[in-house]
Amino acid sequence: MNRKPFAKKSFGQNFLVDPKYVQRIVDSLALNAEDTVVEIGAGRGALTEMLLEKAGKVFAIEFDRDLIPILRQEFGSFSNFELVEADALFLDFTALVPRDKKAKLVANLPYNISTAILQRLIEHRWAFSEMILMFQREVVHRITAKPGNTDRGFLTLLVESSFNAVKLFDVPGKAFNPSPDVTSSIVRLVPIDSGIADEKLFRKLVSQGFMQKRKNLSNNFKSTLPEGNQLLTNLGIDPNRRAETLTLSEWMSFANAVSQRSTPHR
């Protein structure tokens, strides 16, 4: 038997080894033989093996050259297995998945690039019917934070405007090898169309609004959007509120008001 490679700190690798949590993650996908699954970071194949048993097609994405030959040896004989040697940060998921068939996505994301990959997935979300993702628990708290919660920030609104997000369960550090000093959480993301007319402007405003979280909206927009106070007031939003207190709907209304104003300041 080939010796399995050690996890690489440079890749932020922590391999999921507890079969109980492997089972729970796969069960969350509710797979059948008609489903296509994309797995980001196949690693040693703990999830891959079970996915192949249940799904009609599995695209296993792996960037670590030391793991690629192991995955080929273990699963190359499966007719529904396809190994994609690529960096998920730069992969075109819309080209990977057939246009007439949305896939399900699953990933145990490395902590050091999890938010970067999430932003990539937001861009390509329409290739998927749902995503089951593992993040550090604090990241899931941020993703799912409600208005008024101090964990709410730019990432929250980015996700909230793109998905319905539901936390499913926690995964303890001892379920991994090596064991991280943090707890992970599983979240389900289902793509939505929020109806935002100008996503670029929306994200720019939200980013500016959260630039200094302890300051209110009036202060954060003072230099970049002088008419911001009046626009907010016209919408019934107190400029003295902090960014984390606004709902997605209020942010969308503000973005529309900025877009429609007579004198652009972009």
Side-chain angles (χ1 to χ4, degrees):
M1 180 179 294
N2 292 333
R3 185 177 181 180
K4 293 182 179 180
F6 293 107
K8 296 178 181 176
K9 289 185 178 181
S10 59
F11 282 13
Q13 291 173 336
N14 296 91
F15 298 117
L16 183 63
V17 294
D18 189 323
K20 177 178 66 177
Y21 289 102
V22 172
Q23 183 74 58
R24 290 188 70 180
I25 292 170
V26 174
D27 286 349
S28 299
L29 289 163
L31 296 172
N32 60 58
E34 301 299 316
D35 285 324
T36 296
V37 180
V38 176
E39 180 189 9
I40 296 178
R44 294 175 177 172
L47 282 172
T48 313
E49 183 175 8
M50 193 170 292
L51 294 173
L52 288 167
E53 295 174 359
K54 296 178 177 292
K57 180 73 175 182
V58 176
F59 290 97
I61 301 168
E62 183 52 59
F63 187 51
D64 187 340
R65 293 180 179 178
D66 292 332
L67 293 173
I68 287 169
I70 294 174
L71 292 168
R72 287 197 185 281
Q73 180 179 340
E74 292 289 330
F75 308 116
S77 61
F78 286 77
S79 60
N80 58 340
F81 174 75
E82 184 168 335
L83 182 59
V84 181
E85 301 177 34
D87 185 343
L89 283 172
F90 303 100
L91 184 63
D92 184 355
F93 292 95
T94 60
L96 185 65
V97 180
R99 292 186 178 182
D100 60 340
K101 189 174 184 179
K102 290 187 178 182
K104 295 182 178 182
L105 184 138
V106 63
N108 169 17
L109 298 175
Y111 295 145
N112 58 344
I113 58 170
S114 60
T115 55
I117 291 182
L118 178 57
Q119 292 189 53
R120 182 72 172 176
L121 292 175
I122 288 172
E123 296 174 9
H124 295 183
R125 67 187 184 277
W126 296 117
F128 304 101
S129 59
E130 68 175 303
M131 305 177 187
I132 301 295
L133 304 178
M134 184 188 298
F135 296 98
Q136 189 171 334
R137 184 167 58 183
E138 286 70 20
V139 174
V140 173
H141 286 170
R142 288 165 54 199
I143 288 174
T144 58
K146 302 300 181 184
N149 190 315
T150 56
D151 286 333
R152 191 172 176 84
F154 175 73
L155 183 64
T156 316
L157 272 299
L158 200 61
V159 171
E160 193 174 353
S161 62
S162 305
F163 302 102
N164 283 326
V166 178
K167 177 185 173 180
L168 299 182
F169 55 89
D170 290 332
V171 182
K174 64 182 181 180
F176 300 88
N177 181 18
S179 299
D181 294 328
V182 297
T183 298
S184 299
S185 295
I186 304 295
V187 64
R188 172 181 282 116
L189 303 180
V190 177
I192 61 170
D193 183 358
S194 63
I196 295 173
D198 188 337
E199 289 193 357
K200 184 177 180 180
L201 174 62
F202 171 81
R203 293 177 184 181
K204 179 180 178 181
L205 290 172
V206 173
S207 177
Q208 185 66 42
F210 281 99
M211 189 65 67
Q212 298 185 67
K213 288 195 67 175
R214 293 188 176 184
K215 292 190 174 182
N216 58 29
L217 295 170
S218 178
N219 284 326
N220 280 334
F221 287 114
K222 182 167 54 178
S223 60
T224 58
L225 192 66
E227 67 273 43
N229 278 8
Q230 189 59 56
L231 291 173
L232 289 165
T233 301
N234 292 345
L235 294 169
I237 301 172
D238 184 351
N240 291 314
R241 288 169 61 183
R242 289 183 177 179
E244 70 264 19
T245 68
L246 269 65
T247 65
L248 173 62
S249 178
E250 287 176 318
W251 277 112
M252 290 172 60
S253 296
F254 182 43
N256 287 337
V258 173
S259 178
Q260 294 169 9
R261 73 197 191 285
S262 57
T263 306
H265 283 273
R266 297 189 204 179

